[in-house]
């Protein structure tokens, strides 16, 4: 498999793809390895994960360079991702033993009762390229700590990063018959669906997620899907500082070139502050440095996938044809690399695709609203349910709106944020099941109920 640098369009890595026979052999070896791994204590398994974190930290400069080379992520953001993902390891270290401990419910009288959390077995993790450390750790680290073995399939756009993570897990003491990385495109993903896994954990698009759920439904094993979103942000008329709200909203929309599952994808602004907000927002976006992702001051690099340029252009053309105003951007950059200008559209409404279809790139639509109710109706008008955000000086006002949202996560005066303390979950077309927090580790275990009577 050839991996291209999206900034230069040059081939940077070549990796052999795994054959069907090799993948089957990996699965067989994992089935043996998992039994021994599960017998080790949680503390012992955690030690390997902590060592892995230390190794990633020691090698973070080289790993950030690889991530930037294969995905086009600006180097500062690659460094941030690798550093930030460590919070999952710290959180597991602090909590996993407690989360996985037996729960004794009745220990008096003739019959004692308890719950024991057993691992699922060997699970498949089919992952995405946009935040390979974050979304990978959310699945495979929690799965390993819970006593599972894992086959990890990184996206073909982050395959070298995936290989690196496997290398450092093995170096840290996770046995090769407990964690394996498979390299290939969607076809290898398809093959994993045919093999005999004890659970499927997928991060990616809604379309692929549905295909996976359908393909493995007959196996009756756990399936978890972390999918996309069309996440709304409402700027109420009482925000204390309109300029600061615009800066924060723009970062939520454009960080990682908008290629975040929880990126702000549409903005509703109260008519009373609309003009001031739009002026500050456009000025902020126009100030972003677009260009070479290896430069530390670059904020917008190339898109990871060339084909997304057409998706973005079609959304922009459709919006403009329906009356949107193009305030900045609107075209790809006419030089090497998959660059698309950061783009702001105003005067938007829900007849436009940019307000209803996932963009997953550096474009944003802004719509004027006249009331909280109108903002809420617009925010709720979506098939997705990942996150929703409200910026307002009034907590009660914001919470009233956020309570009405059918999303896995809500934000007050912040956005585009993930924390290991709380579950990460999507509703409706944004997915099924949770990662992170105590809920995230429960995804990788099955409870066994013990009823114990002395005689
Ligand atoms: P895809 O759905 O195209 O791919 C995701 C993974 O599935 C890749 O590893 C891919 O392999 C693999 N795959 C593709 N086709 C199949 C198949 N038929 N059977 C099994 N596996 C398959 O998504 P992207 O990689 O393009 O990621 C972008 C999408 O992911 C966005 O929609 C985004 O919103 C969503 N996402 C959601 C997150 C969340 O937490 N909710 C986090 C990150 C992304 P390959 O790439 O090798 O073809």
């Amino acid at each position: 498999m050839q991996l291209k640098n999206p900034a230069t369009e040059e081939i940077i890595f070549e990796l052999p793809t795994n054959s069907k026979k090799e993948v089957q052999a990996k699965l067989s070896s994992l089935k043996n390895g998992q039994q021994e791994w599960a017998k080790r204590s949680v503390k012992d398994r955690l030690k390997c994960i902590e060592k892995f974190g230390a190794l990633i930290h020691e090698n973070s400069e080289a790993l950030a360079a690889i991530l930037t080379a294969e995905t086009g992520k600006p180097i500062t953001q690659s460094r941030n991702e690798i550093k930030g993902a460590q919070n999952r390891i710290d959180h597991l270290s602090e909590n996993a033993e407690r989360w996985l401990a037996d729960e004794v419910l009745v220990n008096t009288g003739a019959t004692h009762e308890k719950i024991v959390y057993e691992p699922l077995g060997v699970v498949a993790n089919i992952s995405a390229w946009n935040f390979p450390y974050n979304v990978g750790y959310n699945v495979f680290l929690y799965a390993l700590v819970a006593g599972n073995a894992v086959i990890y399939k990184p996206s073909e756009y982050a395959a070298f990063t995936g290989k690196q993570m496997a290398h450092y897990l093995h170096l840290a003491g996770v046995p090769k018959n407990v964690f394996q990385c498979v390299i290939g495109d969607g076809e290898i993903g398809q093959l994993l669906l045919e093999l005999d896994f004890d659970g499927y954990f997928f991060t990616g698009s809604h379309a692929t997620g549905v295909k996976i759920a359908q393909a493995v439904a007959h196996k009756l094993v756990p399936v978890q899907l972390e999918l996309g979103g069309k996440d709304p942000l409402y700027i109420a008329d009482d925000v204390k500082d309109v300029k600061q709200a615009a800066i924060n909203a723009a970062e939520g929309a454009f960080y990682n070139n908008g290629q975040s599952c929880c990126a702000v994808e549409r903005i509703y602004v109260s008519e009373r502050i609309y003009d001031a907000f739009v002026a500050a927002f456009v000025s902020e976006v126009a100030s972003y440095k677009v260009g070479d992702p290896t430069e530390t001051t670059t904020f917008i690099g190339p898109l990871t996938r060339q084909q997304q340029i057409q998706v973005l252009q079609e959304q922009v053309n459709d919006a403009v044809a329906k009356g949107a105003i193009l305030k900045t951007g609107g075209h790809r950059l006419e030089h090497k690399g998959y660059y698309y200008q950061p783009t702001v559209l105003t005067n938007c409404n829900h007849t436009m695709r940019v307000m209803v279809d996932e963009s997953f790139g550096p474009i944003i639509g802004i719509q004027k609203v006249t009331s909280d109710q109108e903002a809420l109706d617009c925010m709720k008008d979506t098939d997705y349910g990942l996150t929703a955000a409200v910026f307002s000086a009034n907590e009660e006002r914001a919470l009233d709106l956020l309570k009405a949202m059918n999303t896995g996560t809500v934000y007050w005066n912040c956005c585009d944020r993930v924390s290991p303390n709380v579950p990460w979950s999507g509703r409706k077309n944004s997915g099924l099941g949770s990662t992170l927090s105590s809920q995230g580790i429960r995804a990788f275990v099955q409870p066994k109920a013990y009823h114990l009577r002395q005689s």
Side-chain angles (χ1 to χ4, degrees):
M1 175 194 284
Q2 295 184 326
L3 305 182
K4 264 191 189 175
N5 181 328
T8 61
E9 300 184 37
E10 283 160 10
I11 292 162
I12 41 169
F13 305 119
E14 293 213 33
L15 289 175
T17 52
N18 289 115
S19 67
K20 187 172 178 176
K21 221 170 151 190
E22 284 167 344
V23 178
Q24 277 166 332
K26 281 175 192 264
L27 177 58
S28 303
S29 91
L30 291 176
K31 286 204 182 259
N32 293 326
Q34 189 269 327
Q35 312 264 336
E36 291 308 309
W37 180 246
K39 284 183 199 153
R40 288 165 71 167
S41 67
V42 176
K43 204 181 188 118
D44 197 19
R45 297 197 292 259
L46 273 172
K47 267 193 201 146
C48 297
I49 303 306
E50 286 157 5
K51 178 87 199 295
F52 166 74
L55 288 169
I56 293 287
H57 176 71
E58 275 166 35
N59 294 282
S60 60
E61 251 334 279
L63 292 170
I66 291 170
L67 183 56
T68 290
E70 66 179 344
T71 65
K73 191 187 288 268
I75 189 69
T76 308
Q77 296 176 27
S78 291
R79 289 176 183 147
N80 287 348
E81 181 184 346
I82 291 171
K83 197 168 159 217
Q86 174 66 27
N87 67 9
R88 275 81 168 158
I89 297 175
D90 297 340
H91 198 61
L92 280 168
S93 293
E94 283 158 28
N95 298 292
E97 281 185 282
R98 184 167 51 84
W99 289 336
L100 293 168
D102 295 354
E103 275 180 50
V104 177
L105 300 163
V106 178
N107 65 358
T108 55
T111 311
H112 292 190
E113 294 170 2
K114 66 174 181 176
I115 307 170
V116 173
Y117 292 102
E118 296 182 346
L120 298 176
V122 184
V123 299
N125 176 198
I126 302 173
S127 202
W129 46 266
N130 60 342
F131 283 94
Y133 285 88
N134 290 338
V135 298
Y137 283 17
N138 290 0
V139 174
F140 65 68
L141 292 186
Y142 287 69
L144 289 171
V145 169
N148 299 278
V150 180
I151 274 202
Y152 170 64
K153 192 203 102 47
S155 161
E156 62 187 295
Y157 301 101
F160 203 64
T161 292
K163 283 289 251 187
Q164 299 302 309
M165 290 196 271
H167 168 70
Y168 287 113
L169 277 169
H170 295 150
L171 213 58
V174 176
K176 287 198 170 149
N177 63 0
V178 168
F179 185 91
Q180 277 292 326
C181 176
V182 294
I183 297 298
D185 57 15
E187 266 182 48
I188 284 282
Q190 185 71 40
L191 170 64
L192 297 180
L193 309 183
E194 291 158 21
L195 297 176
D196 181 23
F197 284 92
D198 300 304
Y200 289 87
F201 295 82
F202 170 76
T203 307
S205 62
H206 169 254
T208 309
V210 170
K211 269 193 221 159
I212 288 176
Q214 284 171 340
V216 302
H218 68 282
K219 301 184 187 199
L220 301 184
V221 296
V223 176
Q224 223 170 258
L225 309 171
E226 299 273 350
L227 310 177
K230 189 69 193 170
D231 296 0
L233 164 60
Y234 171 43
I235 314 284
D237 56 4
D238 64 350
V239 286
K240 282 194 189 121
D241 182 342
V242 173
K243 188 171 172 216
Q244 192 56 49
I247 291 169
N248 295 350
E251 188 177 20
F254 289 92
Y255 193 83
N256 199 34
N257 223 349
Q259 302 170 120
S260 310
C261 50
C262 54
V264 172
E265 284 248 344
R266 50 200 171 107
I267 302 178
Y268 305 96
V269 185
S270 163
E271 61 179 350
R272 283 177 283 280
I273 54 163
Y274 183 82
D275 291 341
F277 178 86
V278 167
F281 191 91
V282 173
S283 139
E284 174 67 9
V285 174
S287 77
Y288 288 155
K289 186 174 166 204
V290 182
D292 182 351
T294 63
E295 287 179 17
T296 51
T297 50
T298 294
F299 188 69
I300 303 277
L303 291 158
T304 303
R305 295 168 309 160
Q306 183 177 22
Q307 61 268 38
Q308 199 65 11
I309 291 176
Q310 196 185 335
V311 174
L312 299 178
Q313 195 61 59
E314 283 172 7
Q315 288 192 2
V316 170
N317 294 349
D318 168 76
V320 170
K322 290 172 179 162
I325 301 165
L326 182 60
K327 296 296 253 186
T328 184
H331 298 282
R332 71 169 297 173
L333 292 180
E334 294 304 332
H335 58 66
K336 259 215 165 114
Y338 313 143
Y339 288 95
Y340 199 86
Q341 296 169 325
T343 298
V344 181
L345 294 153
T346 59
N347 205 30
C348 290
N349 61 58
H350 279 218
T351 65
M352 300 170 186
R353 286 169 52 194
V354 72
M355 298 304 278
V356 291
D357 293 348
E358 192 180 39
S359 303
F360 223 62
I363 72 175
I364 190 81
I366 304 180
Q367 178 170 343
K368 189 189 283 185
V369 291
T370 55
S371 65
D372 286 0
Q373 188 57 50
E374 188 187 354
L376 183 60
D377 292 344
C378 289
M379 288 201 289
K380 288 171 80 170
D381 180 26
T382 177
D383 293 330
Y384 289 105
L386 194 58
T387 84
V390 172
F391 285 9
S392 163
N394 182 332
E395 183 173 3
E396 207 181 327
R397 178 180 180 185
L399 292 186
D400 275 350
L401 295 168
L402 293 171
K403 268 182 216 154
M405 291 303 301
N406 191 11
T407 57
T409 293
V410 292
Y411 303 112
W412 175 44
N413 290 334
C414 58
C415 54
D416 189 30
R417 177 178 194 278
V418 178
S419 159
N421 300 314
V422 285
W424 187 248
S425 62
R427 298 186 186 176
K428 303 196 286 181
N429 285 357
S430 292
L432 200 62
S434 303
T435 55
L436 299 175
S437 79
S438 58
Q439 316 267 337
I441 205 128
R442 288 277 178 271
F444 299 101
V445 291
Q446 45 194 340
K448 183 177 275 178
Y450 281 75
H451 302 242
L452 305 169
R453 199 172 285 172
Q454 286 297 341
S455 61

